[in-house]
């Protein structure tokens, strides 16, 4: 009788997304032998060879590609079932902790606040800054119920016990420096120019490693702005935030015309893979659905 456990499917999908058994093992916090045995067990259960073994990397067979696409459907369907079960059980919610990125524009925060006010219903709501490099651990450990953080490219960069969904939040970023900074004196600024100057980096959500150069790191957008304004380096900052400071009379920063001049930062909502109460489920649907019409 064929038996395919959800754990085997999760390990299989992790191997595909990570590109190797060793990378998947590190991601899943399992030994490489456990991952290898699990994949072999899945192949035995299905009576299908899933991978072409090529040294340290793995490549799906044609049959493996078909199984991979269906495995994603099964995993997502299982998670939806867990979510629905949580709604039916009606998990009690007394106090909720939400972490929001400081990069989210004020206008978008205000829109969310209006929607929150009609759904709090006597609950205690704590809102934290998501600019914490341990934010994923805080969500995993239950210290934070849901966090909205700057999106990262691969969903496999999130811990396996977390789920992520793209939200409607977005923020336009530009590169800025002090008007006294050497870069501000150049008529044209290229990417090569900025490589040779110190960068002020704001820890956005989760940071796995840091550049070995003499960059300055901070976990606070106000601190990043002040350090940049003091001429200690250039910094990538939200356009709306710098505009707000300039409207208050602080004109110490200058935007650098570097190609690309700007990028749009998107955000993910991350939360635990477990049954959720009505409020958390509502919050997820609210921030991942269609953007409000007034934005």
């Amino acid at each position: 009788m064929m038996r395919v456990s959800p754990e085997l499917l999760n390990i299989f999908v992790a191997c595909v997304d990570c590109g190797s058994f060793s990378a998947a093992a590190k991601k899943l916090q399992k030994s490489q032998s456990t991952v290898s045995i699990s994949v072999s067990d899945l192949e035995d259960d299905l009576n299908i060879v899933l991978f072409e073994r090529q040294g340290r990397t793995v490549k799906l067979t044609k049959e493996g590609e078909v199984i991979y696409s269906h495995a994603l459907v099964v995993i997502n369907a299982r998670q939806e079932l867990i979510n629905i079960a949580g709604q039916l059980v009606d998990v009690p919610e007394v106090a909720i902790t939400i972490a929001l990125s400081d990069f989210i524009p004020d206008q978008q925060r205000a829109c969310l606040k209006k929607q929150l006010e009609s759904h709090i219903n006597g609950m205690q709501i704590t809102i934290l800054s998501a600019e914490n490099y341990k934010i994923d651990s805080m969500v995993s450990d239950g210290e934070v119920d849901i966090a909205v953080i700057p999106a990262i490219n691969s969903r496999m960069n999130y811990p396996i016990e977390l789920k992520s969904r793209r939200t409607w939040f977005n923020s336009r970023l530009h590169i800025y420096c002090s008007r006294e900074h050497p870069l501000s004196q150049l008529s044209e600024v290229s990417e090569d120019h900025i490589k040779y100057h110190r960068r002020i980096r704001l820890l956005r959500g989760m940071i796995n490693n840091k550049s070995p150069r003499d960059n300055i790191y901070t976990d606070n957008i106000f601190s990043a702005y002040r350090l940049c304004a003091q001429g200690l380096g250039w910094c990538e900052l939200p356009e709306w935030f710098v505009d707000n400071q300039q409207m208050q009379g602080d004109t110490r920063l200058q935007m650098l015309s570097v190609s690309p001049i700007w990028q749009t930062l998107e955000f993910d909502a991350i939360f635990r893979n477990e049954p959720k109460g009505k409020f958390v489920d509502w919050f997820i649907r609210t921030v991942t659905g269609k953007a409000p019409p007034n934005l």
Side-chain angles (χ1 to χ4, degrees):
M1 180 178 179
M2 183 183 295
R3 296 179 180 178
V4 179
S5 72
E7 182 180 6
L8 292 183
L9 290 180
N10 280 326
I11 292 174
F12 166 58
V13 168
C15 290
V16 177
D17 291 343
C18 293
S20 70
F21 288 1
S22 59
K26 184 177 180 180
K27 177 65 185 177
L28 299 171
Q29 297 183 337
K30 298 179 182 292
S31 67
Q32 186 170 341
S33 60
T34 298
V35 170
S36 180
I37 292 171
S38 297
V39 172
S40 296
D41 287 344
L42 181 59
E43 290 179 322
D44 290 341
D45 287 346
L46 298 174
N47 195 27
I48 289 175
V49 176
L50 299 170
F51 292 106
E52 296 175 6
R53 274 71 169 180
Q54 299 176 341
R56 294 185 178 181
T57 60
V58 292
K59 180 181 179 182
L60 284 173
T61 61
K62 291 183 179 179
E63 295 81 4
E65 291 177 356
V66 175
I67 296 299
Y68 173 71
S69 62
H70 285 278
L72 291 177
V73 173
V74 171
I75 291 172
N76 290 331
R78 180 174 179 271
Q79 183 56 46
E80 288 301 319
L81 180 62
I82 292 174
N83 292 342
I84 292 172
Q87 296 174 39
L88 294 175
V89 172
D90 193 14
V91 178
E93 297 170 299
V94 178
I96 298 295
T97 300
I98 302 169
L100 298 176
S101 171
D102 290 335
F103 279 76
I104 298 174
D106 284 343
Q107 182 186 7
Q108 296 174 24
R109 282 173 171 268
C111 181
L112 177 61
K113 178 185 175 182
K114 288 182 180 179
Q115 298 178 70
L116 275 174
E117 288 174 344
S118 62
H119 284 79
I120 294 178
N121 298 326
M123 286 189 301
Q124 175 185 314
I125 303 292
T126 302
I127 299 180
L128 306 176
S129 169
E131 264 55 62
N132 185 320
Y133 71 98
K134 293 183 179 179
I135 193 65
D136 55 330
S137 298
M138 294 175 71
V139 177
S140 297
D141 295 341
E143 298 177 56
V144 172
D145 294 287
I146 184 169
V148 179
I149 66 173
I152 53 181
N153 294 330
S154 172
R155 64 187 180 85
M156 288 308 298
N157 287 330
Y158 296 113
I160 194 68
E161 68 272 13
L162 298 185
K163 183 83 172 176
S164 69
R165 292 184 188 172
R166 192 59 49 91
T167 69
W168 45 261
F169 296 110
N170 65 84
S171 181
R172 194 158 72 169
L173 304 180
H174 288 281
I175 294 176
Y176 296 89
C177 72
S178 165
R179 295 187 184 279
E180 284 71 43
H181 192 278
L183 286 173
S184 69
Q185 312 307 315
L186 301 177
S187 57
E188 294 183 4
V189 181
S190 67
E191 290 189 10
D192 287 335
H193 285 130
I194 65 174
K195 287 179 182 178
Y196 294 102
H197 290 272
R198 182 185 296 111
R199 180 179 183 181
I200 298 166
R201 303 189 68 147
L202 199 139
L203 302 178
R204 302 193 312 222
M206 296 182 292
I207 299 294
N208 295 323
N209 51 59
K210 297 180 181 179
S211 168
R213 297 186 303 166
D214 60 344
N215 291 340
I216 298 177
Y217 288 83
T218 178
D219 63 353
N220 184 289
I221 194 171
F222 296 95
S223 176
Y225 179 90
R226 286 195 297 269
L227 291 169
C228 188
Q230 291 168 6
L232 293 178
W234 61 270
C235 187
E236 194 176 40
L237 292 167
E239 179 185 50
W240 67 268
F241 184 82
V242 177
D243 286 348
N244 284 351
Q245 300 303 310
Q246 291 180 343
M247 285 190 291
Q248 295 175 30
D250 186 347
T251 59
R252 289 178 293 172
L253 291 193
Q254 175 177 311
M255 182 191 301
L256 296 178
S257 298
V258 183
S259 180
I261 297 176
W262 59 268
Q263 63 167 309
T264 297
L265 182 66
E266 296 184 308
F267 297 83
D268 281 344
I270 60 172
F271 44 91
R272 293 182 297 282
N273 269 328
E274 63 182 29
K276 304 167 186 62
K278 290 183 178 179
F279 177 84
V280 173
D281 184 68
W282 167 83
F283 186 91
I284 294 170
R285 286 186 283 106
T286 298
V287 300
T288 61
K290 290 185 177 181
N294 57 331
L295 291 180

